[in-house]
Amino acid sequence: QIDLLEYGGGSVQSAVSLRLPCLASGYTRSAESMGWFRQLPGKECEGVSAIDYDHSINYGDFVEGRFTLFHDTAKNTLTLQMNSLKPEDTAMYYCAASLIKMRRHSLLEDKWYYYWGQGTPVTVSS
């Protein structure tokens, strides 16, 4: 069992930054991949960024260099640093963990992730 707790969301103006930490607890050593996903209003879940067992990191195309993923294994924390936020980044953001050693091109596919946090909302206004 892996428990994930996200925090750091909120309402901000366009172009500012937010940091979303995700604290993992439980049998975290079993996690092969961890990532951040988001769900925009009325849309399906999409991958924001994820890291695999080989420490390779993928980002969604929409990130365009604005976000950075940090994985602190000593503190069991996965942090998404989001800069230059846009109104279209408004979504519920979720942290997730997978037990599957997947190929890198699958890292941002939510169907491979079994453990999910409750989510933290991010609202960006223009």
Side-chain angles (χ1 to χ4, degrees), residues 97-108:
S98 173
L99 305 182
I100 299 171
K101 189 172 290 187
M102 68 186 84
R103 294 181 183 272
R104 186 173 177 183
H105 68 260
S106 298
L107 272 178
L108 296 180

Side-chain angles (χ1 to χ4, degrees), residues 17-83:
S17 300
L18 270 181
R19 175 168 291 194
L20 303 183
C22 169
L23 179 62
S25 60
Y27 196 48
T28 58
R29 288 189 176 185
S30 64
E32 295 291 345
S33 304
M34 291 187 68
W36 278 93
F37 294 80
R38 71 183 189 180
Q39 188 162 23
L40 281 66
K43 300 288 182 66
E44 293 187 353
C45 186
E46 62 180 352
V48 180
S49 182
I51 184 170
D52 69 8
Y53 62 94
D54 199 29
H55 307 293
S56 296
I57 297 176
N58 279 9
Y59 294 94
D61 291 339
F62 59 87
V63 170
E64 299 175 324
R66 300 178 296 129
F67 301 172
T68 306
L69 189 68
F70 298 97
H71 188 206
D72 187 335
T73 55
K75 296 181 179 180
N76 289 323
T77 301
L78 185 72
T79 300
L80 182 66
Q81 175 66 42
M82 303 190 295
N83 299 328

